[in-house]
Amino acid sequence: MISKAIEMTVMLDRLFPDRSARVLSAMSEVQRDVFVDPGWKRMAYTDRSLPIGHGQTISKPATVFRMLSALEPVFGGKLLETGSGSGYLASVASRLFSRVFCVERILDLVESSRTNLLRTGAGNVVVRYGDGSSGWVEHAPFDGILFSAGAPELPVSLVSQLREGGLAGVPVGIKSSQEFVVWKKVEGKLERISSFTCSFVPLIGKEGWNG
Ligand code: SAM
């Protein structure tokens, strides 16, 4: 299945001319089929989001590629991912960051993602069960922050949890569609630097929906 992961990165390479070679290389090392439900394994190397149980999904490979590529200037540092689901993005990120801190609000997914991460050799990732809409203050500051669930607006707690010069990517918008906005922290404030259209499951929690 590793050869399938390599084929998938060849497809991404064609889709994105301004590709990050480092993200493509990391994605080629991670077997995506490990992270999807048994009935969906044959679709694991297509560019589709797929069910992972509890009404949640593993994001499309192209979306994971764009999220991680946006953080390239801070590779090597500490990453926070809120909404780690199956653990796929975190496993790819483990090859790009020194440490990866994940928060996931569905206990079953916390447990299965820990197994998936071990199976794919991602030893520098920790997954905490709980509401990650306000980040993970005990491990702050982070060099990079990624939210894999859509928020109604930028969670304010992120500003203090991002180090100066750090990058944060968060899908912001309505429940059915969002803009994935990347901010850089400059002189204590967040400056918007790029964005793309996306559609994530909702961020449920204190600084998300129904909070
Ligand atoms: N990157 C993930 C992957 O590779 O599988 C994608 C996960 S899915 C698109 C989004 C996840 O966010 C879901 O598993 C959902 O339970 C989780 N989530 C939603 N709100 C959350 C919150 N407040 N704290 C932590 N996790 C949350």
Side-chain angles (χ1 to χ4, degrees):
M1 286 295 193
I2 277 290
S3 61
K4 292 259 186 204
I6 293 169
E7 275 172 34
M8 190 177 75
T9 58
V10 171
M11 168 191 75
L12 291 171
D13 196 10
R14 289 199 196 105
L15 276 176
F16 300 104
D18 55 343
R19 63 198 176 277
S20 159
R22 293 178 70 187
V23 180
L24 286 178
S25 168
M27 288 179 79
S28 74
E29 290 174 15
V30 179
Q31 290 180 243
R32 190 168 181 256
D33 61 286
V34 167
F35 297 84
V36 305
D37 281 357
W40 293 95
K41 288 201 186 287
R42 67 194 165 80
M43 305 294 288
Y45 296 97
T46 60
D47 193 25
R48 288 180 53 166
S49 57
L50 297 170
I52 55 172
H54 304 273
Q56 306 302 320
T57 53
I58 178 174
S59 304
K60 286 165 70 162
T63 304
V64 170
F65 174 77
R66 296 180 89 179
M67 291 167 75
L68 287 169
S69 297
L71 265 55
E72 183 150 12
V74 296
F75 285 176
K78 262 168 48 175
L79 176 74
L80 167 72
E81 186 197 8
T82 279
S84 45
S86 68
Y88 174 70
L89 182 145
S91 183
V92 177
S94 76
R95 285 138 169 102
L96 300 166
F97 289 86
S98 56
R99 296 196 70 191
V100 181
F101 296 90
C102 298
V103 191
E104 170 54 54
R105 65 179 286 274
I106 296 175
L107 185 57
D108 262 3
L109 293 177
V110 171
E111 287 165 355
S112 56
S113 65
R114 285 179 181 151
T115 307
N116 297 340
L117 286 159
L118 282 178
R119 282 185 63 193
T120 52
N124 56 347
V125 182
V126 286
V127 186
R128 173 170 79 79
Y129 167 56
D131 174 10
S133 63
S134 303
W136 191 347
V137 70
E138 290 81 0
H139 289 290
F142 299 99
D143 303 277
I145 295 179
L146 287 175
F147 271 45
S148 292
E153 55 194 30
L154 179 76
V156 288
S157 304
L158 299 199
V159 185
S160 59
Q161 292 183 32
L162 193 63
R163 78 153 168 80
E164 185 63 21
L167 296 170
V170 183
V172 178
I174 56 173
K175 277 193 180 166
S176 55
S177 82
Q178 308 90 27
E179 219 186 341
F180 187 85
V181 185
V182 181
W183 283 273
K184 181 174 183 177
K185 187 165 173 179
V186 180
E187 294 176 5
K189 296 198 177 121
L190 293 192
E191 278 182 9
R192 186 181 160 126
I193 56 169
S194 65
S195 69
F196 61 88
T197 304
C198 59
S199 177
F200 281 83
V201 296
L203 178 78
I204 309 291
K206 190 174 164 218
E207 294 193 54
W209 296 96
N210 309 332

